[in-house]
Amino acid sequence: MDNNKTTSVLEAARADTQERFQAGLTTDHQYHNQGHTERVCKAVLELGQSAGLAGYQLEILELAALFHDLGFTETYEGHEAVSRQLADQFLSSQAYEEERKAEVLNLIDVTFPPKVPQTQLEKIMCDADLSNLGSPHYFEYLQALRHEWKTFLNQEYTDEAWYRLNYKFVKNHRFYTAAAVEAYDKQWNTNRKQLKQLRDEHRSPALGNDKPAKPEQAKLAGAISDSKSAQTMFKTSLRNHLDLSALADNKANIMLSVNALIVTIVMPLASSYVSEHPQLVIPMLVLLVTCLTSMIFATLATRPIKMSGETSREAISSGTSNLFFFGNFFKMDFPAYESGMQEIVSDTKKLDSSIMRDLYFLGRSLGRKYRLLRICYTIFMIGIITTVLTYGLLIWITSAI
């Protein structure tokens, strides 16, 4: 692709994205707006040039930066997939080379957490997208993002919760390229320290600066994510629950097979002797009722529970959902599921709650299975004993007469 064609595509892309930003964004888009896109474009070029890149590599980096947040012009939740779609449509309309278009789309994809960049271009793209963490204007951008989350996601935080959330994110963040470390690391460290100070300043004064507002919740929040012992315990419990669930299904299948065998083979054979031995009618009826009742309870034990297949945004935000269970998301579209999952994994408390919720409801389901199986086996045992005793009693009465 010659330089004139490259210049033409970039100019068209800038014009297209600028027009869409102006038409599709509101004054409430204080962070994800054209200004953010321009800063990311500038950052990818600076980091790319520092890394010795030139030509088409800088071109696809800039194209990806121009389109990576364009989806906000149409939707806030699930904007990632829309950004990719808009870039795909534009580049196709420009007859852009397919191989390079695929690289641009891949660079847009890698800006979506929790994807981890692998190539040099992907690392540059991710570093540029989060270059605001190492900006002197970081706290201005942070307030803009807080306004967006309150407006578009209905997520409102106390000052303490907001600074704690962002301190954890900034503290755990690391830039991928040497150029980004050199350019942003010093200011990133300054911002990190200031976030920590703000977090401590906004803690509840009644409990002191070194304690959260609710100690009993603090012990719980992060208990799983931050403790290897807790993680091991939960993994073991989940595995044991799954093994017990499989064992319960096997037990139910055994009862279904045995009773089906009796009903379809034993009962027809026994019925052929009824005319000669009328006393068999009562034991046969007892056995038939036993088998049918046992089969009903065995079927109930293995019958899948009713599932809605979707989870509301309110349930996700309030931490009362579990998106790790397929029954809560199989009717949701991917952008909504991805957005909800990103919210859960970015919040330690919500993540821990989902893990505990998964174990709890798996245990509830397991308890139901074993309760029904106990009834099933009890009915079968009593029914078989009753059948044998009835048959023996009738034989004794008949012989006595």
Side-chain angles (χ1 to χ4, degrees), residues 13 16-22 25 37 64-75 79 82-84 86-87 90:
D16 181 76
T17 54
Q18 182 176 3
E19 182 179 352
R20 288 181 181 274
F21 275 129
Q22 291 175 350
L25 297 184
T37 294
L66 284 168
F67 283 95
H68 83 286
D69 275 346
L70 194 61
F72 281 102
T73 59
E74 297 188 12
T75 181
H79 65 274
V82 178
S83 298
R84 191 183 196 281
L86 292 174
F90 171 80

Side-chain angles (χ1 to χ4, degrees), residues 168 340 371:
K168 182 176 181 180
R371 178 173 59 83

Side-chain angles (χ1 to χ4, degrees), residues 33-333:
N33 51 28
Q34 188 176 354
H36 169 70
T37 294
E38 290 173 354
R39 290 192 296 272
V40 175
C41 286
K42 179 181 178 182
V44 294
L45 292 177
E46 290 176 348
L47 295 176
Q49 290 168 353
S50 296
L53 304 182
Y56 90 92
Q57 292 179 313
L58 292 179
E59 170 197 318
I60 62 175
L61 278 170
E62 188 171 359
L63 285 171
L66 284 168
F67 283 95
H68 83 286
D69 275 346
L70 194 61
F72 281 102
T73 59
E74 297 188 12
T75 181
Y76 202 92
E77 297 184 71
H79 65 274
E80 300 92 347
V82 178
S83 298
R84 191 183 196 281
Q85 182 182 10
L86 292 174
D88 190 5
Q89 293 173 352
F90 171 80
L91 294 174
S92 296
S93 71
Q94 297 290 313
Y96 198 66
E97 185 178 328
E98 286 296 322
E99 184 178 349
R100 294 188 181 181
K101 182 179 76 171
E103 291 187 69
V104 172
L105 299 181
N106 183 61
L107 289 176
I108 295 175
D109 283 340
V110 82
T111 63
F112 308 159
K115 295 185 178 179
V116 178
Q118 302 297 327
T119 67
Q120 183 184 33
L121 293 182
E122 291 176 355
K123 292 176 180 179
I124 289 174
M125 186 67 198
C126 287
D127 284 346
D129 190 30
L130 291 176
S131 59
N132 65 296
L133 301 184
S135 168
H137 305 288
Y138 168 71
F139 288 94
E140 298 174 22
Y141 304 146
L142 194 61
Q143 289 305 109
L145 182 63
R146 186 178 185 178
H147 174 81
E148 283 192 10
W149 284 16
K150 178 181 177 181
T151 304
F152 297 108
L153 299 179
N154 197 30
Q155 294 183 15
E156 190 168 2
Y157 294 84
T158 63
D159 288 339
E160 177 194 354
W162 180 247
Y163 291 123
R164 184 176 66 247
L165 174 67
N166 284 279
Y167 170 70
K168 182 176 181 180
F169 178 77
V170 172
K171 183 183 71 169
N172 293 332
H173 180 74
R174 293 295 182 272
F175 292 108
Y176 294 101
T177 63
V181 172
E182 183 178 356
Y184 310 128
D185 202 57
K186 183 178 180 181
Q187 185 63 48
W188 164 83
N189 195 45
T190 299
N191 294 338
R192 177 185 62 80
K193 291 178 179 179
Q194 190 171 347
L195 271 175
K196 183 179 181 181
Q197 181 180 352
L198 288 168
R199 180 203 65 180
D200 294 341
E201 288 176 356
H202 287 87
R203 280 179 172 171
S204 173
L207 295 174
N209 286 341
D210 59 339
K211 297 181 180 179
K214 295 182 178 180
E216 69 279 4
Q217 292 183 2
K219 293 177 182 178
L220 184 61
I224 303 171
S225 303
D226 299 334
S227 170
K228 290 185 178 180
S229 297
Q231 291 173 15
T232 300
M233 190 63 200
F234 267 82
K235 288 177 182 178
T236 302
S237 298
L238 285 170
R239 184 169 60 250
N240 290 340
H241 278 57
L242 292 173
D243 290 342
L244 287 171
S245 182
L247 181 61
D249 291 338
N250 288 335
K251 289 179 178 291
N253 288 331
I254 290 172
M255 290 303 297
L256 286 170
S257 299
V258 170
N259 285 284
L261 184 66
I262 294 174
V263 171
T264 58
I265 298 179
V266 176
M267 295 300 294
L269 289 174
S271 63
S272 62
Y273 296 97
V274 171
S275 57
E276 298 178 6
H277 305 280
Q279 67 271 22
L280 291 176
V281 172
I282 295 178
M284 283 180 59
L285 288 175
V286 173
L287 183 60
L288 181 61
V289 171
T290 297
C291 291
L292 292 177
T293 307
S294 297
M295 291 176 70
I296 289 173
F297 279 95
T299 302
L300 289 174
T302 56
R303 186 179 66 167
I305 62 173
K306 185 177 180 180
M307 296 172 287
S308 64
E310 54 188 349
T311 302
S312 66
R313 189 71 197 189
E314 291 74 17
I316 296 173
S317 299
S318 62
T320 58
S321 67
N322 174 26
L323 284 182
F324 293 96
F325 175 58
F326 79 96
N328 292 333
F329 66 77
F330 68 86
K331 288 184 180 178
M332 298 171 64
D333 54 35

